């Protein structure tokens, strides 16, 4: 692989891996604290998938960039500004409704993303991985969509909480669909689809589900952004303190 | 749940004969009330232990040191939620609802394994729990695969397979720490020091003080007494600790060739039963924290459950209207 291509692939893998790691981390925070035992099983299961995706993607990234010797160095030992995840995924969980709505937004996006990677990605290893990732994110999207409908339709209280969650997450949705020079380059090289190219499918599905839950589809305009450039929210530093604690406290150890 | 029984109420003698023939008792079979109560209590406690046990381990998911360890821990804690679900289902076959059992857990009326009232301050505690606590659980649970009550015995087969995987995982965490840096080895030793005695206590009071044992053995709910299982545990774990260079914190531990009917086994020191009963009665290091965490999750989730209920009713009404 030529060096500029390698840089592109590395950065592209990192963006997706970081999204998955950080949302997996947030999702895992629910373990033992969910509203029902079934959800106590489902949420760690989804976290397991998300962090598993991150692990595979970091491994692929390490094969490309010899500066990083293994996936843990990427996951645990970068500085805050070196993480390229969306602001959406790093926000605190909020209540269960906010958690499932964010999961629904993100996993529905990723489902269409992986579907495109499956067809058109020039990087064979990622293309192969996308088969599994597509199936798993489809399941996450279905799981979360059921809760969005249930909570939206359920009681006045739950409908209000879901409307609040929609308002709370709205400022972060623009970044999900923001094309930049990098995403354009990835698309031109048949590496990754441009986020805007997924918008219509995503919007149709999300709108239909929100409607079933008597909820309004939010305005999607670019408001809060910065994650892709490594500019993160205040909450992110605390997340990293937990995530990186062991690797920072006991450097150069095997676990 | 309404209880249904097969043809006739069998006498205690007939029931005992059935047990002695090693026939399984199934949910709709007639059974003595004391048998039913013992099983509901035991399976319920077992289910609660799985669910409360998610808390001390879940405590380390966000801080696990590597992705591989994080994924294994997530998978393990998820298994425990699954075990909780099977076991509540098994207990429900005896006529008590999961809701009722849950309320008893949250109110403090129902017990769960006291071991989960101890804290997990370091990563090594995750290794120690897997190795020792799951190790002790397996000693208790393998005989339960042959328990006389069918649904419990069948649930235990799968649970034991998963628990034995967890135990190997825990031992491997300890092995890695013991072979690691000085700080890691010290972390492992301190965790062993913390978890050894509580794990030895996991088998419950000694046989002389265990009033439920006699009936449970007679009814083949239990196949071994508390002290027999405790001895098996100590005999299995001591050589494993030696192998990885960790020291079991018991100065009275020594090989005794008279144990196990002359086949030899480890003699161990006096168990601090005051501590055992103190923790059982609610005064352990984390009793309040564990129950408060479960109460908080339950209370904060009430709007979610209410919404799910309301949504299901609306769907049902719509379906009936369409028919």
């Amino acid at each position: 692989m030529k060096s500029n291509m390698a840089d592109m692939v590395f950065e592209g893998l990192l963006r997706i891996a970081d999204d998955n790691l950080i949302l997996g981390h947030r999702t895992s925070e629910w373990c033992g604290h969910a509203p029902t035992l079934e959800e106590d099983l489902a949420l760690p299961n989804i976290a397991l998938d998300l962090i598993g995706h991150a692990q595979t993607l970091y491994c692929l990234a390490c094969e490309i960039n010899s500066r990083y010797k293994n996936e843990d160095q990427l996951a645990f030992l970068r500085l805050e500004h070196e993480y390229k995840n969306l602001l959406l995924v790093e926000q605190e969980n909020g209540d269960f409704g906010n958690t499932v709505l964010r999961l629904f937004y993100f996993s529905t996006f990723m489902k269409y993303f992986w579907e495109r990677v499956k067809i058109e990605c020039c990087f064979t290893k990622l293309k192969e991985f996308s088969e599994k990732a597509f199936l798993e994110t489809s399941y996450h999207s279905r799981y979360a969509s059921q809760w969005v409908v249930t909570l939206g339709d359920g009681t006045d209280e739950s409908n209000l909480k879901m409307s609040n969650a929609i308002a709370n997450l709205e400022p972060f949705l623009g970044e999900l669909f923001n094309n930049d020079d990098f995403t354009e380059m990835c698309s031109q090289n048949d590496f990754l689809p441009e986020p805007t190219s997924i918008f219509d499918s995503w919007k149709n599905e999300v709108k239909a589900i929100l409607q079933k839950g008597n909820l309004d589809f939010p305005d999607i305009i670019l408001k809060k952004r910065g994650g892709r450039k490594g500019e993160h929210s205040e909450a992110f530093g605390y997340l990293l303190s937990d995530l990186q604690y062991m690797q920072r406290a006991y450097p150069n150890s095997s676990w | 749940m309404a209880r249904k029984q097969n043809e006739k109420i069998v006498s205690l003698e007939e029931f005992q004969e059935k047990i002695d023939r090693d026939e399984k008792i199934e949910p709709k079979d007639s059974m003595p009330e004391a048998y039913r109560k013992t099983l509901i209590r035991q399976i319920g406690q077992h289910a609660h232990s799985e669910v409360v046990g998610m808390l001390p381990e879940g405590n380390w998911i966000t801080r696990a040191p590597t992705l591989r360890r994080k994924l294994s821990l997530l998978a393990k804690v998820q298994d425990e939620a699954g075990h909780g679900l099977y076991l509540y289902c098994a207990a429900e076959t005896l006529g008590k609802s999961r809701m009722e059992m849950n309320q008893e857990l949250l109110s403090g009326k129902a017990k769960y394994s006291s071991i989960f009232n101890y804290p997990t301050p370091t990563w090594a505690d995750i290794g120690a729990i897997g190795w020792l606590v799951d190790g002790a659980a397996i000693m208790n649970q393998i005989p339960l695969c042959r328990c006389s009550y069918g649904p419990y015995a069948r649930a235990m087969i799968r649970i034991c397979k998963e628990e034995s995987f967890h135990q190997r995982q825990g031992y491997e965490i300890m092995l890695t720490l013991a072979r690691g840096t000085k700080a890691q080895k010290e972390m492992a030793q301190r965790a062993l020091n913390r978890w050894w005695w509580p794990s030895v206590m996991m088998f419950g009071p000694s046989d002389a003080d265990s009033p439920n044992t006699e009936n449970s053995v007679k009814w083949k709910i239990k196949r071994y007494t508390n002290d027999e299982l405790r001895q098996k545990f100590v005999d299995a774990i001591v050589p494993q600790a030696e192998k990885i260079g960790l020291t079991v914190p018991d100065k009275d531990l020594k090989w005794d060739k008279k144990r196990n009917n002359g086949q030899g086994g480890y003699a161990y020191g006096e168990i601090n039963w005051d501590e055992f009963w103190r923790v059982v009665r609610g005064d352990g290091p984390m009793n309040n924290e564990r129950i408060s965490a479960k109460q908080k999750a339950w209370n904060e989730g009430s709007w979610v459950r209410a919404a799910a209920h309301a949504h299901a009713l609306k769907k049902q009404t719509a379906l009936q209207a369409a028919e």
Side-chain angles (χ1 to χ4, degrees), chain B residues 115 127-143 163 167 171 174 191-204 224-242 248-250 253 255 259-260 264-269 271:
Chain B
I115 196 80
I129 288 185
W131 175 34
L132 302 174
V133 176
D134 290 320
I138 292 167
M139 293 289 169
N140 256 323
Q141 290 170 5
I142 285 184
E163 293 292 2
Q167 203 238 353
Y171 187 57
M174 294 303 265
L192 173 57
N193 296 349
R194 272 193 292 279
W195 290 91
W196 173 255
W197 286 109
S199 301
V200 171
M201 291 179 203
M202 267 180 81
F203 298 92
Y224 299 97
T225 68
N226 295 352
D227 287 335
E228 284 168 344
L229 290 167
R230 194 173 356 254
Q231 184 67 50
K232 274 175 189 270
F233 173 76
V234 173
D235 292 344
I237 297 293
V238 170
Q240 290 174 2
E242 278 170 6
V248 170
D250 177 359
L253 191 76
W255 185 253
R259 297 229 163 189
N260 296 322
Y266 286 94
Y268 47 88
I271 292 170

Side-chain angles (χ1 to χ4, degrees), chain A residues 83-95:
Chain A
Y83 286 83
K84 297 298 171 63
N85 56 280
L86 297 162
L87 298 182
L88 174 72
V89 298
E90 73 194 35
Q91 301 308 306
E92 288 175 24
N93 283 327
D95 64 18

Side-chain angles (χ1 to χ4, degrees), chain A residues 114-167:
Chain A
W114 289 122
E115 191 178 47
R116 293 279 301 279
V117 171
K118 242 167 41 149
I119 301 165
E120 56 201 53
C121 178
C122 64
F123 183 44
T124 317
K125 286 182 177 173
L126 189 66
K127 198 173 173 172
E128 284 166 2
F129 173 69
S130 66
E131 301 273 346
K132 174 180 149 88
F134 170 73
L135 288 178
E136 290 181 355
T137 46
S138 303
Y139 162 73
H140 302 163
S141 166
R142 195 165 70 236
Y143 165 84
S145 74
Q146 284 165 353
W147 271 116
V148 171
V149 173
T150 300
L151 298 175
D153 178 63
T155 61
D156 290 346
E157 184 191 9
S158 68
N159 183 274
L160 180 64
K161 282 186 189 279
M162 289 312 282
S163 300
N164 291 342
I166 289 174

Side-chain angles (χ1 to χ4, degrees), chain A residues 32 38 45 153 247 254-255, chain B residues 65 69 78 98 184 311 314:
Chain A
E38 283 77 357
N45 185 272
D153 178 63
Q247 290 275 348
S254 296
W255 300 98
Chain B
R69 293 296 185 199
Q78 184 201 327
R98 185 169 133 198
Q184 285 176 303
H311 176 66
K314 284 184 196 174

